[in-house]
Amino acid sequence: MDSVSQNLLDWYDRHARSLPWRVPPDQSAKGVRPDPYHVWLSEVMLQQTTVAAVKSYFEKFLRLWPCLTDLATASEEDVMKAWAGLGYYSRARNLKACADTVAAGYGGHFPTTQADLIKLPGIGDYTSAAIAAIAFGEKAAVVDGNIERVITRLLADATPLPAAKEICRTEMSRITPDDRPGDFAQAMMDLGATICTPKRPACALCPLNEHCSAYRLGTMEQFPVKLAKKAKPLRKGAAFVAIREDGAVLLTKRADKGLLAGMSGVPTTAWTASEDGATGAEAAPFRVPSGVRWTGCGTIRHTFTHFHLELEIYRAADLPMGFCTPALDGWWSSATALPEEALPTVMKKSLSAAIPNAFKPKA
């Protein structure tokens, strides 16, 4: 084991983050491995999401579905409800598809190699390497955003991302030890998250500072080099919150493909990542009874990966109990059921603009 690997593992043994899906390093060093289901679930959740945000979702999923076969028997609707608010909803659909595949094709047990793991739905280069290394001890090159930052600084490599990814993968392959590859990968993640941070890295505390070219040059914050991002466009549309006289809210299910596919929400105009939707009360996709009016409730703004969205919010209250909108194929969700619906954040914002206390805990 070279000095980079040894220094980092020694540091990890003292400073590893305590995370609900991890085996502590003192146990891992003795050969104890985490449940592959826990590793997979956490890694899928952590894609594009912070550790702080993931912890409660991870614990909720384990309460609902303690093992993979439990998740495989769940309905996609229930999985989407449990995932609501975590974002990037294709991950939830892939999670369910992967659980189904492993349950049906592998007897409920994950394959043990990166080469086989990468064949599963929703599992790419990074996730397959992470599961193989952490859960099964394979010497796989695990490279996420934190690790890219650490390695480009170690090498002071000015190749811009994403071209630098292959350089990082090659270097990670070289320095990953045969012994404890999973701990080494997690140590690199922890180093990037806590010491080798994007701004003001704590280089004096870094176990790898003697090996770091950027530290010697004083250029740490220049790495990794990233190409300038294009400005995100602003899209506009409108959302319509219809409230029945008993307080129930009209919800619909979005199409099975496209943005927020399969999620629940209030009716909206047809905005997309590339086109604006109609605006104004007259753009409502259904008529309300005579005597009921759409009232403006301001606008909300939400940011997706590739664009910003601004929605005008309209509210129609005290709709009669017999009111229905068959063309929308919607349903009425009671005030108590609303927080349990599979509502993405943009829909919760829309509802909160029209019903300020919709998601506040009931006394």
Side-chain angles (χ1 to χ4, degrees):
M1 186 182 299
D2 69 21
S3 56
V4 169
S5 306
Q6 190 63 64
N7 288 359
L8 188 60
L9 284 171
D10 289 346
W11 173 83
Y12 181 71
D13 288 342
R14 298 189 302 272
H15 301 290
R17 291 179 292 178
S18 177
L19 300 174
W21 48 84
R22 272 192 185 168
V23 168
D26 60 330
Q27 295 299 307
S28 181
K30 297 175 183 177
V32 178
R33 297 239 172 89
D35 187 328
Y37 173 59
H38 295 181
V39 177
W40 164 71
L41 183 59
S42 66
E43 289 296 342
V44 173
M45 288 183 168
L46 285 164
Q47 295 166 15
Q48 306 292 327
T49 312
T50 65
V51 167
V54 162
K55 284 183 180 179
S56 62
Y57 281 90
F58 176 82
E59 290 164 350
K60 175 169 66 174
F61 265 68
L62 287 191
R63 286 195 302 271
L64 292 170
W65 305 294
C67 67
L68 181 135
T69 52
D70 295 325
L71 183 58
T73 61
S75 69
E76 182 173 296
E77 181 181 1
D78 285 343
V79 173
M80 298 301 281
K81 284 182 178 180
W83 191 276
L86 196 54
Y88 300 92
Y89 295 98
S90 61
R91 294 181 298 166
R93 290 186 291 276
N94 284 332
L95 193 82
K96 172 61 175 160
C98 186
D100 293 347
T101 299
V102 174
Y106 296 87
H109 301 287
F110 279 96
T112 60
T113 66
Q114 182 182 11
D116 288 330
L117 286 161
I118 203 170
K119 300 173 185 176
L120 298 174
I123 295 185
D125 288 337
Y126 164 73
T127 306
S128 60
I131 298 170
I134 297 168
F136 300 113
E138 180 180 339
K139 185 183 175 182
V142 181
V143 180
D144 69 353
N146 281 321
I147 293 173
E148 287 171 353
R149 185 166 58 254
V150 172
I151 289 181
T152 54
R153 288 175 177 176
L154 283 172
L155 302 177
D157 193 302
T159 305
L161 291 170
K165 289 180 180 290
E166 191 56 41
I167 295 168
C168 293
R169 190 173 291 110
T170 299
E171 180 64 9
M172 191 65 175
S173 295
R174 188 187 72 79
I175 62 177
T176 298
D178 295 326
D179 185 38
R180 300 177 65 189
D183 280 355
F184 182 76
Q186 291 175 108
M188 288 285 279
M189 296 174 196
D190 281 10
L191 188 71
T194 64
I195 300 291
C196 195
T197 51
K199 302 294 183 183
R200 296 196 295 273
C203 298
L205 302 177
C206 180
L208 303 184
N209 56 22
E210 65 185 81
H211 304 279
C212 183
S213 298
Y215 177 58
R216 287 197 299 273
L217 296 169
T219 57
M220 299 79 67
E221 292 192 26
Q222 295 180 20
F223 302 98
V225 176
K226 298 180 180 179
L227 297 175
K229 292 183 178 180
K230 293 181 180 179
K232 292 181 179 181
L234 174 64
R235 300 300 175 206
K236 296 186 177 184
F240 299 88
V241 181
I243 308 168
R244 207 166 57 184
E245 59 189 4
D246 63 347
V249 176
L250 179 65
L251 297 180
T252 62
K253 184 177 179 180
R254 294 182 66 85
D256 290 333
K257 293 184 179 180
L259 197 64
L260 305 177
M263 299 298 290
S264 301
V266 297
T268 73
T269 54
W271 50 267
T272 69
S274 56
E275 294 183 356
D276 290 340
T279 55
E282 64 278 5
F286 59 94
R287 292 179 176 272
V288 292
S290 175
V292 177
R293 295 179 57 194
W294 289 110
T295 302
C297 300
T299 62
I300 62 102
R301 190 173 172 121
H302 187 75
T303 296
F304 292 94
T305 306
H306 302 300
F307 69 104
H308 303 292
L309 175 66
E310 188 173 270
L311 288 180
E312 297 175 356
I313 309 300
Y314 296 92
R315 164 184 166 139
D318 296 323
L319 292 165
M321 294 298 291
F323 178 76
C324 63
T325 56
L328 288 179
D329 192 26
W331 70 95
W332 294 95
S333 182
S334 69
T336 55
L338 197 61
E340 303 304 317
E341 299 282 3
L343 295 165
T345 301
V346 66
M347 293 300 172
K348 289 183 178 180
K349 287 181 180 179
S350 300
L351 282 157
S352 294
I355 313 171
N357 297 320
F359 298 99
K360 289 186 178 180
K362 302 298 185 286

